[in-house]
Amino acid sequence: MSTPTAPEQRTVTPFRYDIVGSFLRPAALKEARAKFQNGELTAEQLTEVENAEITKLVQKQQEVGLKAVTDGEFRRSWWHLDFFWGLDGVERTIIDQGYQFNGAQSRPETASLTGTIGYSSHPFVAHYTFLKSIAGGSVVARQSIPAAAQFLFELDRAENQERTKAIYPDRQELVADIAKAYRAVILALYEAGCRSLQIDDCTWGALCDVQFIAFMDQIGLDPADYANEFAKLNEAVVADLPEDLVVTTHVCRGNYVSTYAGVGGGYEPIAKTLLDINNYSGYYLEFDTDRAGDFKPLRFLKEHQQVVLGLFSSKIGELESKEEILKRIGEAQQYVDLDRICLSPQCGFASTEEGNHLTEEQQWNKLAFIKEIADEIWK
């Protein structure tokens, strides 16, 4: 594979070697959270432990050479539900069944409406303020939040439909309130100093999954209509934001205790709709297995956009074959220039607090391996 003679040096996210954001929870943090749940620690004491472990994590990210750092989602139980619970009019709800993954089922929790959706404050703003304060000026402190479409998707779950419709008989009002609340949170994060925002979104993984598509057809719904609704909502959230706020999005196909969701299917059915969303600077796309299909959908990328190829698995500790990774990057170059490619794991190492089945040492070795390959390509 050839390298460019004058490769572009990335100065904003995404960077050539990057992360999705979540990290395995250290033992001290798991112990503190368990004690808090049992009433043995106060919220203030738990925060002290979180602060200490996040400080260590940021230092470790810098040591491994990352140019963008996160708090590892150490204050969250879920990658998405904690954010939803922080909005006005939303509560944590225990249901009969969790999310179904390949051979595993998650804890049975969801986010349900108690009233109209709004924003008065959100804990993620304070979380980001702490991250920003310890990151320093040599790295980018990145904040991740779940997509607005993901929230709508959650409210469309069978367990939530009745309550959602009771509060929002008009779906357009529901969509409008979600967008308004999201924009308020994003602008509050911006005021706190955030200049790199990553929007995580599993809806697209579902909408190109052959099993989900068959289910939609069975109940008489058009997956393309659903995709268009999601795209319009996500675009409304990121329209007319400050120019120096870099917004990227990450598409996942399920990441829970090293398992995945659905049966798979390439991006082609939703590629044009997904990659046509305005105001995203880059897409973090899962490509670590053949479940994601080939790279042909990348032809729909806009000229200014980067694609972060998730060729490395955060679900296993073993390192990938360097030769195979280089080969696959070469295949992607048939559809997108090398200067518009970056590398990362396909997802975080712990989308929920349970974490994937690998060790912390393997986690850091994998990130060092990604940097090694990126340094060879973009010398």
Side-chain angles (χ1 to χ4, degrees):
M1 182 181 62
S2 62
T3 57
T5 56
E8 175 192 353
Q9 298 300 310
R10 300 288 302 161
T11 58
V12 296
T13 52
F15 292 109
R16 295 300 183 195
Y17 47 92
D18 217 320
I19 52 171
V20 171
S22 65
F23 285 89
L24 295 173
R25 308 315 197 250
L29 180 58
K30 288 185 175 182
E31 181 181 349
R33 289 184 69 90
K35 287 184 175 181
F36 174 71
Q37 293 296 331
N38 293 332
E40 300 172 40
L41 280 185
T42 66
E44 291 76 15
Q45 289 171 322
L46 175 60
T47 297
E48 289 178 5
V49 176
E50 291 170 342
N51 289 349
E53 294 303 320
I54 290 169
T55 300
K56 295 175 188 176
L57 176 72
V58 169
Q59 181 179 354
K60 187 66 176 178
Q61 290 175 80
Q62 291 176 294
E63 290 173 357
V64 84
L66 292 171
K67 298 180 180 179
V69 301
T70 73
D71 66 2
E73 301 179 7
F74 278 8
R75 303 187 200 273
R76 309 187 208 180
S77 178
W78 301 83
W79 67 276
H80 61 325
L81 294 181
D82 295 70
F83 179 85
F84 303 154
W85 296 333
L87 297 170
D88 296 347
V90 185
E91 70 174 3
R92 172 177 174 266
T93 306
I94 304 298
I95 51 180
D96 292 334
Q97 291 185 325
Y99 306 103
Q100 186 61 51
F101 292 82
N102 182 45
Q105 189 176 106
S106 71
R107 284 170 281 122
E109 297 180 334
T110 187
S112 303
L113 296 186
T114 60
T116 56
I117 300 162
Y119 168 82
S120 55
S121 64
H122 199 287
F124 277 33
V125 178
H127 299 171
Y128 180 80
T129 299
F130 178 80
L131 174 65
K132 177 77 172 173
S133 72
I134 63 172
S138 60
V139 293
V140 175
R142 176 194 292 154
Q143 178 66 43
S144 65
I145 63 172
Q150 191 74 45
F151 186 28
L152 181 61
F153 198 50
E154 190 72 23
L155 295 179
D156 281 345
R157 289 184 65 172
E159 299 89 344
N160 285 325
Q161 286 181 7
E162 183 176 348
R163 191 184 297 192
T164 301
K165 288 181 179 179
I167 296 171
Y168 284 103
D170 184 334
R171 189 169 178 85
Q172 293 305 310
E173 290 184 6
L174 168 64
V175 171
D177 277 2
I178 292 175
K180 184 178 179 181
Y182 257 75
R183 287 182 61 82
V185 177
I186 292 172
L187 291 174
L189 287 167
Y190 181 84
E191 289 300 316
C194 180
R195 296 298 182 269
S196 178
L197 180 71
Q198 176 184 298
I199 296 178
D200 295 323
D201 201 342
C202 283
T203 60
W204 303 100
L207 288 170
C208 61
D209 183 85
V210 294
Q211 188 176 58
F212 187 77
I213 291 173
F215 169 72
M216 294 283 285
D217 290 339
Q218 183 180 3
I219 62 176
L221 295 177
D222 186 349
D225 290 341
Y226 216 10
N228 286 328
E229 181 180 45
F230 286 164
K232 289 178 181 177
L233 172 55
N234 285 348
E235 186 170 271
V237 166
V238 298
D240 301 318
L241 293 174
E243 291 185 3
D244 59 340
L245 175 59
V246 177
V247 182
T248 59
T249 191
H250 163 240
V251 175
C252 180
R253 294 164 177 267
N255 184 47
Y256 175 71
V257 295
S258 291
T259 62
Y260 58 85
V263 297
Y267 291 97
E268 191 66 26
I270 48 87
K272 192 175 188 309
T273 304
L274 170 63
L275 300 179
D276 196 45
I277 297 175
N278 289 313
N279 301 311
Y280 284 155
S281 296
Y283 288 82
Y284 293 70
L285 300 180
E286 179 173 323
F287 276 113
D288 63 320
T289 70
D290 57 9
R291 296 177 63 248
D294 60 25
F295 298 108
K296 188 176 179 181
L298 298 182
R299 71 190 185 277
F300 292 116
L301 273 173
K302 292 182 169 71
E303 289 185 2
H304 68 280
Q305 291 173 327
Q306 298 283 313
V307 61
V308 187
L309 299 180
L311 299 172
F312 307 81
S313 177
S314 67
K315 300 175 182 177
I316 59 173
E318 295 76 17
L319 299 181
E320 289 73 11
S321 161
K322 183 182 291 187
E323 291 73 19
E324 182 63 24
I325 293 293
L326 293 174
K327 177 185 174 184
R328 298 202 68 201
I329 295 171
E331 293 171 356
Q333 283 183 253
Q334 299 177 47
Y335 307 101
V336 60
D337 292 339
L338 186 61
D339 260 351
R340 295 168 57 208
I341 292 174
C342 302
L343 304 176
S344 80
Q346 99 293 345
C347 195
F349 293 96
S351 295
T352 68
E353 62 183 312
E354 288 83 357
N356 285 339
H357 294 162
L358 71 165
T359 67
E360 289 185 48
E361 181 181 9
Q362 289 173 321
Q363 167 184 263
W364 296 113
N365 287 344
K366 184 143 294 196
L367 294 180
F369 181 57
I370 297 172
K371 181 181 185 299
E372 176 186 325
I373 294 178
D375 285 344
E376 287 185 16
I377 298 172
W378 294 280
K379 296 179 181 177

